[in-house]
Amino acid sequence: MVKARTSAAELVERGYVRINGVREKSPGHAVKPGDVLTIALDNSVRVMKVIAFSERRGDAAAARVLYEDLQSKPD
């Protein structure tokens, strides 16, 4: 969702991230497969489910297979 860890940490510290519906306050909180993240970005909110983790850092295309966008699913 963001390009750098520092940007992700800032989102958490500002209260823009929820893990399984609970506002997270610690940037170092462990996230595991199955967790649902809600992230407020600019004027939008992203909701995604963690599917897996990668052994190595990759590009955006590689990252997309590691989470499921819950907003793209029909109701």
Side-chain angles (χ1 to χ4, degrees):
M1 303 308 107
V2 293
K3 291 184 180 184
R5 288 183 187 185
T6 54
S7 299
E10 187 175 316
L11 286 173
V12 172
E13 290 168 354
R14 290 185 177 195
Y16 297 146
V17 177
R18 292 179 182 265
I19 300 175
N20 299 322
V22 178
R23 188 178 308 252
E24 185 52 53
K25 297 175 185 164
S26 171
H29 181 89
V31 177
K32 58 191 178 305
D35 283 348
V36 175
L37 305 178
T38 305
I39 305 170
L41 293 169
D42 299 324
N43 294 324
S44 66
V45 175
R46 301 283 310 265
V47 181
M48 64 212 60
K49 182 177 182 180
V50 178
I51 302 298
F53 294 100
S54 176
E55 293 286 324
R56 305 173 70 192
R57 184 176 175 157
D59 60 10
R64 280 188 212 101
V65 301
L66 302 175
Y67 67 89
E68 177 182 358
D69 187 347
L70 298 179
Q71 291 169 307
S72 65
K73 288 184 141 191
D75 290 337

